[in-house]
Amino acid sequence: MKLEERMLRSVKQRTGNVILRAEIARLGSASQVTEALKSLQAKGVLVRIGTGVYAKTRKSSVTGATIPAGSLETLATEALKKLGVTVRTSKAAAAYNSGITTQLPGAFVANTGGRRIRRKIAVGGRSVVYENDYGQATAGA
């Protein structure tokens, strides 16, 4: 069985829509995995949303085109969770949800707490914006 076939079987059996390269790296050498991932992207099975981060695809019910199997918000949250990053509600979304403001947040902003992140995750031309609490003084200090 070719590596591409084994990888396709592995992708289809996984729950969730995000696959990290590190999760499938054990299936072959680095160059073999790279070629198999390129082949699966060309066939429309996977789409790359970041460095070492891939998403499953589905057919659009409207256009019939191959699109990622989730929105930026769901895919980014799942990817960051797999990478060990805790994502909280952004400050703008928290203000809207609590009724402080009526302005809807325009972009997906991931609050990573005290952790600084520069990883780019993009789906359909939209990318994740990060905010954190790094370096902000607490009221009691």
Side-chain angles (χ1 to χ4, degrees):
M1 182 181 291
K2 291 173 57 177
L3 175 63
E4 182 181 333
E5 295 167 357
R6 289 187 302 164
M7 195 176 289
L8 180 61
R9 182 185 300 178
S10 175
V11 166
K12 288 189 176 186
Q13 289 178 346
R14 292 179 186 275
T15 58
N17 292 321
V18 174
I19 294 104
L20 300 179
R21 182 187 172 98
E23 296 174 340
I24 54 177
R26 62 177 173 75
L27 296 176
S29 70
S31 61
Q32 288 176 324
V33 170
T34 299
E35 291 303 317
L37 285 170
K38 284 181 185 178
S39 176
L40 290 177
Q41 287 179 66
K43 290 181 179 178
V45 176
L46 294 175
V47 63
R48 183 173 180 250
I49 61 172
T51 304
V53 183
Y54 297 86
K56 292 180 182 179
T57 59
R58 64 178 177 85
K59 293 283 185 189
S60 170
S61 60
V62 177
T63 63
T66 303
I67 59 173
S71 66
L72 171 67
E73 292 81 4
T74 58
L75 294 174
T77 303
E78 184 178 343
L80 290 170
K81 183 178 177 183
K82 282 189 172 192
L83 292 167
V85 177
T86 303
V87 178
R88 301 186 312 215
T89 306
S90 69
K91 294 170 188 164
Y96 175 76
N97 291 339
S98 66
I100 294 172
T101 182
T102 58
Q103 184 174 355
L104 290 169
F108 175 63
V109 179
N111 185 340
T112 58
R115 190 166 177 180
R116 294 185 285 181
I117 294 184
R118 293 184 49 98
R119 177 181 287 269
K120 182 173 182 180
I121 298 176
V123 176
R126 295 178 55 212
S127 61
V128 179
V129 177
Y130 300 103
E131 72 179 12
N132 59 42
D133 301 328
Y134 184 78
Q136 293 181 358
T138 57

